[in-house]
Amino acid sequence: AKDIEGALVSIEPGTGFIRAFVGGKDFKSNQFNRATQALRSPGSTFKLLIYASALSNGFTPETKFFDLPKCWKDYCPKNFNNKYLGNISLTKAFTSSSNIVAVELLNQLGVEKVLDTATSLGVAKNEKPESYLSLAVGAYGETLMNMTSAYAAVANRGIYNSPNPIKKIIGPHNKVIWSYDLNKKNQVLSQKVADNLNLMLVESVKNGTGNAAFLPGRPIAGKTGTSDGNRDLWFIGSLPQLTTGVWFGNDKNNKTVLNSGNAAWVWKKYINKIEKDLEVKSFPLPTKL
């Protein structure tokens, strides 16, 4: 795995401030920034945006769907390892990262509704995705920075802050020339919807695909993502006060031997190093939709 590259971004949900970011293994040998410049397939991390759109448009976490093999005309997606769970709730579908239910949701909502939600969360603005159902499994290019800021908005109870590395610029005589406006409240998802999504994300780490990031005694809201052939491996996870995205892959987009569990594991190693500075907080319990 020596040619595997990686990137990491940490964003404070409440402010949008970028607290840490790594654009690759070695800046001396390659200055390409994989956190902000690489457009990579977000895989299943994109599902959060579909579920956000669904919960904003009348579906609830208890709404039932059939997780069984299905074709939409000639598009026949499969679940990972060909595992299907039958009649399940949206929460269970999210936790198990069902591709079938994600495509069904996208089909019922329509691509435009999902893209409206995505763009309000700062995603799908660099490159407008094609209107294909494969968008449900992340079939387009996105940056780690944009995906992480979308997850940060969900952690921030639906308030989106655009990611920013600079708090203020001070000129001569300590005069503030520019400062980041922290009073802008851009509520793009209702608090109710965001709180329900956070519960789904917590469930995904506790009992689902994000289990490698589990930390006992700390609520973590996160989701893995893998693109075709394990070319892109993602984990984006939040503590209430910090959202961190991790990505691995090859610059040439060839297959890897790793899986998204590796990204979740690295996320955990990183959080283990800094968690002493972050008090243990819980996400607010959601009210029913």
Side-chain angles (χ1 to χ4, degrees), residues 18 58 75 83 149 153 159 231 234 244:
I18 298 163
Y75 177 52
K83 270 177 67 180
S149 70
I159 297 171
R231 287 173 170 84
W234 301 68
T244 302

Side-chain angles (χ1 to χ4, degrees), residues 64-69 79 83-89 98 101:
K64 289 284 207 283
F65 277 88
F66 281 102
D67 180 37
L68 293 167
N79 280 351
K83 270 177 67 180
Y84 301 91
L85 300 172
N87 190 15
I88 53 171
S89 69
S98 161
V101 174

Side-chain angles (χ1 to χ4, degrees), residues 35-58:
T36 58
Q37 291 175 293
L39 290 169
R40 305 292 301 214
S41 162
S44 289
T45 58
F46 190 81
K47 288 175 186 164
L48 180 71
L49 307 171
I50 294 173
Y51 280 71
S53 186
L55 297 187
S56 302
N57 284 288

